[in-house]
């Protein structure tokens, strides 16, 4: 909790992303990093356009809460945001919109919200009450490191290639 209280890292993707819009509407100060935000936010609301990849884990780990969202079609089809894996690997408190399969992969380790009122309530509550504790987040980080690393993904692809070759 030595970094930004609420952190969002991501471009606008050409739209005023709902999680940022709703958090700001709730009066929550969000440190927003990413390109394209000048179209939607005044300059004083934009923390920066970029966080270097070698600094991103520290930014996630030190944030009070990391915000995440998905394109609606990706959420519906279960294409989980990379940010979930990155921030979970850093034992971050994460608040995201819901997505198919999110709880199957992360269990209760990531909080989701259904509407702006719930988002506001979670972001204004005591993090100790609203999010998993440090031990649970570290357990999830260890799980992500083992089950969702690049090495684990490559092993799945290789196994599948062998299966297809044998068929």
């Amino acid at each position: 909790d030595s970094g930004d209280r609420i952190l969002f890292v991501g471009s606008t993707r050409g739209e005023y992303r709902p999680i940022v819009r709703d958090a700001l509407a709730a009066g929550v100060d969000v440190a927003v990093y990413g390109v394209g935000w000048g179209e939607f936010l005044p300059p004083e609301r934009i923390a920066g356009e970029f966080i270097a990849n070698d600094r991103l884990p520290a930014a996630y780990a030190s944030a009070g809460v990391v915000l995440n969202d998905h394109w609606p079609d990706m959420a519906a089809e279960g294409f989980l945001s990379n940010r979930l894996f990155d921030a979970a690997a850093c034992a971050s408190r994460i608040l995201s919109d819901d997505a198919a399969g999110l709880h199957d992969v992360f269990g209760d380790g990531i909080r989701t919200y259904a509407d702006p009122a719930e988002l506001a309530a979670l972001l204004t509550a005591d993090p100790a009450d609203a999010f998993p504790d440090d031990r649970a987040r570290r357990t999830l980080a260890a799980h992500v490191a083992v089950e969702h690393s690049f090495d684990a993904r490559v092993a799945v692809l290789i196994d599948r290639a062998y299966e297809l070759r044998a068929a």
Side-chain angles (χ1 to χ4, degrees):
D1 294 337
S2 60
D4 295 307
R5 184 174 168 278
I6 309 294
L7 174 65
F8 180 83
V9 180
S11 72
T12 63
R13 302 183 310 213
E15 65 179 50
Y16 193 175
R17 292 174 71 162
I19 196 164
V20 173
R21 181 194 64 229
D22 294 341
L24 292 172
V28 176
D29 190 26
V30 180
V32 177
Y33 290 85
V35 296
W37 284 103
E39 180 180 346
F40 302 101
L41 301 175
E44 64 273 10
R45 284 280 193 192
I46 303 167
E49 285 194 346
F50 182 74
I51 297 178
N53 286 338
D54 63 341
R55 291 186 34 232
L56 199 52
Y60 286 152
S62 65
V65 176
V66 174
L67 300 180
N68 176 76
D69 64 6
H70 298 85
W71 283 104
D73 55 342
M74 291 181 71
E77 296 296 327
F79 288 92
L80 301 178
S81 168
N82 289 343
R83 185 178 306 102
L84 294 174
F85 294 94
D86 294 345
C90 297
S92 302
R93 290 181 196 95
I94 305 165
L95 180 57
S96 179
D97 57 354
D98 204 0
L102 187 148
H103 296 288
D104 296 334
V105 173
F106 296 101
D108 294 331
I110 294 176
R111 291 300 309 262
T112 57
Y113 73 99
D115 57 51
E118 186 178 14
L119 173 72
L122 289 166
L123 291 178
T124 57
D126 182 340
D129 297 329
F131 292 88
D133 64 20
D134 184 64
R135 182 176 180 185
R137 294 191 322 269
R138 288 181 185 278
T139 299
L140 178 59
H143 170 76
V144 167
V146 170
E147 298 296 326
H148 300 287
S149 67
F150 286 116
D151 288 343
R153 294 290 183 227
V154 168
V156 168
L157 291 172
I158 290 171
D159 288 347
R160 185 66 179 132
Y162 281 130
E163 289 172 12
L164 290 171
R165 186 175 178 196

